[in-house]
Amino acid sequence: MTGKVCIITGSTSGVGLEATRRLASGGARVVMVCRDRAKAEHICDELGAAGLIIPDIVLADFSDLAQVREAAAEILKRYQRIDVLINSAGLHSTTRRLTPAGFELVFCVNHLASFLFTSLLVDRLRENSTARIIQVNSEGHRFGGLDLDDLDWSRRRYTGLKGYGASKTAQLLTVWEFADQLKGSGVTINAMHPGDVRTGIGRNNGLLYRIFLHTLVWPFLKDPAISGHALYWLAASKEMEGVSGRFFHLTIDEKPAAHALDRQMGKKVWDASRRLVGLE
Ligand SMILES: NC(=O)c1ccc[n+]([C@@H]2O[C@H](COP(=O)([O-])OP(=O)(O)OC[C@H]3O[C@@H](n4cnc5c(N)ncnc54)[C@H](OP(=O)(O)O)[C@@H]3O)[C@@H](O)[C@H]2O)c1
């Protein structure tokens, strides 16, 4: 991956951080897209001390689509070529929270922001016929919960699992649409579940949930380094050349839930997403 420009969102923690470490150690020029400069600089220091290429930093809070647009514009200005885009920024929330623009927070960060970011960068990716896009998705898409008539959960009781499932289902459905549109360009797009790994996910929730997470869930989770290795393989391996529109559990090609394969629904989600992020 020497010299390859790899844009990674959510690069300050967990899965995205492991991908950053792994790609940097493979010689890539990583661009960390994140909301916390101090955290990113600390990681840059760590990589620099290990003798690796120090990543660039682009700031954006993905709960604010205006910031997603600004970050994409900055990237388009700074990088004439993009080799890899990994969208890993994401969260799980046990309660329904709205962004200032009125989107349900998890749906906005996990789906709308990554959808908008990818859409804004896709032409630059197309200029490079070997570029790869990887959406860090989740087996959690299997929880379902996507209702196009109630994306902000104002009519249903919100649960963390369903809210998370809705966001990941929407993202998966748009991966198939992106893959169709990219056919023939050489650019590939795939989704992946990064393993069940010990990261910061869930830390934004209340004390009881965090105690539950640390005592009952964490002991069964794996080292997130495996997610970094899997993402490296998906981004760099020869085996993945030309492979597009698939869902991987780490590096294993897997069949998603039936509701995430409904292409008619996918087209509706695509149109709704474009409208909501202001691309129409
Ligand atoms: N951990 C697992 O077992 C697991 C399983 C399936 C799927 N996933 C998926 O993996 C991805 C990464 O999660 P993780 O487990 O690595 O969790 P994590 O350690 O909490 O990392 C999440 C990353 O997303 C960033 N982020 C969250 N909200 C953001 C916002 N509003 N704007 C910009 N960045 C934001 C965080 O930034 P800060 O550092 O500033 O908070 C952090 O860098 C998510 O999409 C998640 O759904 C994880």
Side-chain angles (χ1 to χ4, degrees):
M1 295 303 278
T2 306
K4 297 220 167 172
V5 175
C6 300
I7 315 275
I8 307 180
T9 77
S11 45
T12 46
S13 177
V15 173
L17 171 56
E18 292 303 328
T20 297
R21 286 189 174 126
R22 186 63 191 86
L23 280 155
S25 58
R29 183 174 175 200
V30 175
V31 181
M32 299 180 69
V33 181
C34 55
R35 59 181 169 175
D36 186 333
R37 178 175 289 283
K39 248 178 163 177
E41 283 176 347
H42 184 72
I43 293 158
C44 288
D45 289 347
E46 171 202 312
L47 297 176
L52 303 173
I53 301 175
I54 297 173
D56 296 338
I57 299 170
V58 172
L59 290 178
D61 187 322
F62 270 30
S63 63
D64 176 357
L65 297 181
Q67 292 191 37
V68 175
R69 284 181 176 277
E70 281 165 25
E74 192 178 334
I75 286 168
L76 292 176
K77 205 162 74 186
R78 277 163 69 172
Y79 307 96
Q80 293 317 305
R81 177 190 171 97
I82 302 173
D83 295 284
V84 174
L85 167 62
I86 297 176
N87 278 301
S88 188
L91 80 159
H92 167 254
S93 175
T94 55
T95 54
R96 173 181 180 259
R97 288 191 282 161
L98 297 183
T99 70
F103 298 120
E104 189 274 311
L105 177 66
V106 173
F107 191 74
C108 181
V109 175
N110 291 9
H111 170 56
L112 291 178
S114 66
F115 177 80
L116 175 61
F117 197 52
T118 305
S119 301
L120 293 172
L121 297 182
V122 78
D123 284 342
R124 184 60 45 85
L125 285 147
R126 272 178 188 276
E127 288 166 17
N128 165 9
S129 63
T130 57
R132 298 183 188 183
I133 305 167
I134 304 163
Q135 307 291 44
V136 178
N137 196 268
S138 175
E139 292 290 358
H141 78 272
R142 298 184 195 280
F143 298 132
L146 183 62
D147 179 349
L148 277 179
D149 295 324
D150 189 25
L151 289 176
D152 66 356
W153 293 82
S154 53
R155 298 189 206 152
R156 295 170 292 162
R157 191 175 74 83
Y158 185 85
T159 70
L161 293 185
K162 291 273 184 201
Y164 186 75
S167 70
K168 296 295 183 181
T169 298
Q171 187 187 52
L172 261 190
L173 285 167
T174 58
V175 166
W176 323 141
E177 299 303 314
F178 270 124
D180 275 1
Q181 293 182 15
L182 288 167
K183 251 184 207 147
S185 70
V187 179
T188 62
I189 180 164
N190 292 290
M192 68 95 74
H193 171 81
D196 303 312
V197 289
R198 257 185 317 273
T199 65
I201 201 158
R203 73 197 141 166
N204 49 293
N205 294 306
L207 181 64
L208 265 184
Y209 181 80
R210 281 181 281 134
I211 292 173
F212 156 76
L213 203 62
H214 283 260
T215 53
L216 293 172
V217 181
W218 268 42
F220 299 100
L221 298 180
K222 302 185 192 87
D223 184 334
I226 61 168
S227 318
H229 289 302
L231 279 164
Y232 187 86
W233 187 83
L234 294 171
S237 72
K238 259 207 140 339
E239 291 92 324
M240 284 301 294
E241 262 174 31
V243 178
S244 193
R246 312 295 309 170
F247 174 68
F248 291 86
H249 184 126
L250 291 166
T251 57
I252 298 164
D253 195 342
E254 230 186 38
K255 191 172 176 196
H259 66 258
L261 290 168
D262 180 343
R263 296 300 304 268
Q264 251 184 329
M265 179 68 167
K267 291 190 191 338
K268 288 184 191 158
V269 172
W270 178 270
D271 290 344
S273 303
R274 281 187 65 85
R275 188 171 38 76
L276 290 170
V277 302
L279 286 173
E280 290 297 291

